[in-house]
Amino acid sequence: GGRGADALHRRKGARRRVGCLLGNSLGIGPLGAVESHRRLRSESVSHVHVPQPRSEGIASAPRHSVEPRCQRGGLHRPWPRALRRGGRGQDRPWPLPAGDGFVSDRSRRGKESEASLTKHVVLVKYVGTDFAGFQYQPENGKTWSRLETVQGKLLKALSTALNTGSFKALRMRAASRTDAGVHAHGQVVEFRSARVFKDGTVESRKLLQSLNSLLPPGVRCVWVSDVPDSFHVIQNCARKQYNYYISFNPVYEDPFTFETRHRIKSEAGDGFVERMGRAAKAMEGLHDFTAFSNKTHDGIDREAVRHVEKCEVRLDSSSPGSGSIYVVCRGKGFLYRQVRHMVGAMLWHAQGKLDLTEIERALRDGKSFVDSGGRKWKPAPAKGLHLMWCEFQTLDNGLSIPLPHQL
């Protein structure tokens, strides 16, 4: 009847449309695809030979018994199944045509996109009182965004501002991994971005505004710029300076500096600052600082011989009348908690609990000094330690990373 003829006509039209779509997507004419489809329907399934994969690879696999058009058209079942398995070349019954849409370029696109990312540095200031250090610690939380670390806040803010979707693409690292409670005036942080932000441009200022609106009040980004791809924020750091602030006045304590200074309840006696200065002078130069450090959590043994360029005690003119001093410690790199141990030993010597000869012995052979139980002091509290700046040589593109007081 008419109804059966209409249904047959619709089925034939549907087969023609499928053949045209497959043929066009594979670069062959629609008529050739339909003709191959009809030829397959007229033949028996047992006459079509599907070769099995061989261990010696795809090059030795036999060709299909049907015509090349049908073979490339992929209108039979073995080819889609082989593609859906996602296996290697020998799992497919024949080589795929070069340049077709079935070969996945995901890994290639990932490498190209990673190579297209530009390195940047951002200068960061933060008050470390409310943070568990700079570096994020995923083992202490379910997600990076829930960690109360400076890097965790920066990763979240940069991912939002740059719309990266994943913090891993930023590949962030810093010049100094400050401990919990340590503050920074000029932390230099390296990250990657698909967008390029030049120094002093409108785009860089907008990025800083966006970051500071997303960050907590205790963290601020003050400068950002692109750097050459050869730049490494840790290896290229020429030197860095830490200041440790100490307040001795037990009666008057400045409320604006209470959380950023180590407060000693007793007043500094006669010769206290001079004794601290002598201990600081003994720590200048190239020494073994094993006795003035702790082992890191990663268990890696780092070189303990370090060069301290400057170590001296100064009066704190920023807090007049408060009886405050600060210790300046400058060098290329420091061990874990090294500066805090140095200040702790200075305080013990100034208080008459540690002789200067013991400090000199600890600087000669730190391991034997610790093993013999000579280290009695404790590292100074973290609240008094400030990372002041990180200095870099002029980069390959002529850029100079500014110090905080130069902005």
Side-chain angles (χ1 to χ4, degrees), residues 22-34:
L22 289 174
N24 292 334
S25 63
L26 296 174
I28 62 175
L31 295 179
V34 174

Side-chain angles (χ1 to χ4, degrees), residues 45-52 62-66 94:
V45 179
S46 59
H47 294 164
V48 180
H49 172 67
V50 179
Q52 298 298 324
R63 304 296 295 177
H64 225 277
S65 60
V66 297
W94 50 77

Side-chain angles (χ1 to χ4, degrees), residues 5 17 173 334:
R17 286 193 295 272
R173 55 191 170 196
F334 299 91

Side-chain angles (χ1 to χ4, degrees), residues 246-247 249 252-254 257 261 315-325:
I246 305 172
S247 177
N249 196 323
Y252 169 74
E253 180 67 31
D254 189 355
T257 61
R261 278 169 170 77
L315 294 176
D316 188 8
S317 59
S318 62
S319 299
S322 63
S324 297
I325 63 173

Side-chain angles (χ1 to χ4, degrees), residues 212-280:
N212 292 329
S213 65
L214 296 169
L215 289 168
V219 183
R220 282 295 174 265
C221 299
V222 296
W223 183 84
V224 65
S225 177
D226 65 318
V227 294
D229 194 63
S230 59
F231 176 81
H232 195 286
V233 72
I234 299 177
Q235 298 176 0
N236 294 128
C237 183
R239 57 180 181 171
K240 60 187 72 171
Q241 177 173 314
Y242 287 92
N243 289 0
Y244 194 93
Y245 291 86
I246 305 172
S247 177
F248 294 99
N249 196 323
V251 179
Y252 169 74
E253 180 67 31
D254 189 355
F256 297 103
T257 61
F258 183 79
E259 294 294 338
T260 59
R261 278 169 170 77
H262 173 43
R263 187 165 66 104
I264 298 179
K265 297 180 180 180
S266 61
E267 294 184 1
D270 294 337
F272 188 95
V273 178
E274 289 75 10
R275 289 192 294 271
M276 281 199 66
R278 286 196 295 268

